[in-house]
Structure formats: C-alpha cells, structure tokens
Amino acid sequence: GCGKLTGVSHPITVRASGSRFGSWMSDTVTPSADTRVWYMDGYYKGRRVLEFRSLSDFVSGQNFVQHLLPHPWAGTGHVVFNGSLYYNKFQSNVAVRYHFRSRSVLVQRSLPGAGYNNTFPYSWGGFSDIDFMVDENGLWVVYTTNQNAGNIVVSKMDPHTLEVLRSWDTGYPKRSAGESFMICGVLYVTNSHLAGAKIYFAYHTNTSSYEYTDIPFHNQYSHISMLDYNPRERVLYTWNNGHQLVYNVTLFHVINTAGDI
C-alpha cells in the first residue's frame, strides 16, 4: 500500500563506473523475476543504452546487450516502464518512448511550453530540464515553463500516447531543486545536489497542496545527478559522482480504523 515518506536509509553502493553524470534503472512494473538493469552514461547527446541481464551482471559489468537510440538524449531523467524507455530528445522538449523489444520509437510528442537545453534544469545543470518518473500511480514528468515562472510543474502522462492528462504547479523553483522523485502521488524535492542535501519539500497531487519537510538524505559522494524511485522494489536509484547507489525508503501507512470495534 501507499504511504508518506518518513525516512531514507544510508546509501548502498552498487557499483562505481562511468562518468560523473548518468542514470541507471530497472523496469518499474515487470515481474520480480525480471532483474534487468539499464545503464546510460553521460547527460547529453548520448545514444547508447546498455541492458544487463541481472543486477549481478551489472555489478560485474558482464552479459549486456546494447541499444542504439535513434535520437540522442538530454539530461538524466529517463525511466524504464513496462518494457519502454521514456526520455527527453536532445535539444528539444520532445518526449520519446523507445520500446526495447522491437528496438523502435513507438511515439514521440512535444511537451507544450516545456523549457529545454538548460533553460530550467535542476541546480546541477546537465540539461536536466525534463525528468520522467514512475510511482504506484503510473508515469509522470517534471519540468517547467515560462508561464509557470520557472516553478516545477508535475504532469501525469499517458504511457501509451505521451499525452499530458493533468498538471500541477508546485510553486517550487526548479533551479533551486537538487533532484526530485515521486512516491504515491507525492513529489519529493531535495534542496541541493551537493553534500548536506535533505528532502526539503513535498507536493501532494491528490490535494494540490505542499509542505516543507526535513528528511535527512546522506549524499555520500557529494554530487547527485539522478534520483528516481522504483515502486516495485521500494528503493531510490541514484547516480552520484560516478557511483551507482540505492537507498531504501520508509513509508508511514495510515490505517483507517473507522468502524472497527
């Protein structure tokens, strides 16, 4: 069940590889027997996605296949959801859905008004204007527009068509955010990508309201360039200064006892 984030564990270093910036992830909805890992080194103009057969293969750097994307990516805000990679096409505000099995782009669609090309990145830069994420409720995208004065917009997306179903203006300036992630319909924002970061802000889409939080977040290698929640595993995937990490999350579940004797 869903709950409110109350804590994040110390990080577990899975591997040290690649450049300072990048992203890595597993599929957010596949059966637990599927332990494939995808790896995308770098934050712009990249096209090479490595698919490892399992987490242990990823740790050892063995048993992978390579996908060469038809369009290069921007940023590190990619996500794998139900066999497809969702990412931002370089030098555009276009969202791309690439299907791994058919090795083809199934759909691409512009995000109306969304800034790109370091117009509205996170505080670390890196063309991180557009950030895809998945939680228990499905596919989301975080970005901002001139109309929203650079404040974070979170939009629910149709994973098949990439249409925006609904959007919320959080009021939080994106350039002041280190990174962000969704859990149970709530957007959590860190106040820095550097050492001393904490989870500082939470926006609740179900009530269109926000609160300030003070959840410690141990930034072991002092430069986070990717942070994503995986609802299937209940962990945060992180790329931190050339290290691939996971954090366990603690959720507080509110139990409804109304009517109980």
Side-chain angles (χ1 to χ4, degrees), residues 23 44 75 80 96 119 138-139 167 183-184 206-207 210 215 224 258:
S23 59
Y44 78 111
V80 176
V96 178
T119 306
L139 179 67
S167 296
I183 299 181
C184 297
N206 62 335
T207 56
Y210 68 88
I215 300 172
I224 288 173

Side-chain angles (χ1 to χ4, degrees), residues 117-193:
N117 225 21
N118 271 341
T119 306
F120 297 117
Y122 289 121
S123 59
W124 65 274
F127 298 87
S128 58
D129 305 73
I130 295 171
D131 189 2
F132 296 92
M133 45 192 76
V134 171
D135 72 352
E136 291 80 359
N137 300 329
L139 179 67
W140 305 82
V141 62
V142 162
Y143 57 101
T144 190
T145 67
N146 285 316
Q147 290 81 1
N148 288 86
N151 292 330
I152 290 176
V153 177
V154 57
S155 293
K156 189 80 168 59
M157 278 192 123
D158 184 310
H160 302 289
T161 66
L162 299 183
E163 288 181 273
V164 169
L165 304 175
R166 188 177 169 191
S167 296
W168 294 260
D169 179 358
T170 67
Y172 194 97
K174 190 160 183 290
R175 284 180 170 274
S176 299
E179 270 285 345
S180 66
F181 55 92
M182 296 290 297
I183 299 181
C184 297
V186 180
L187 179 75
Y188 294 95
V189 182
T190 68
N191 64 343
S192 172
H193 62 282

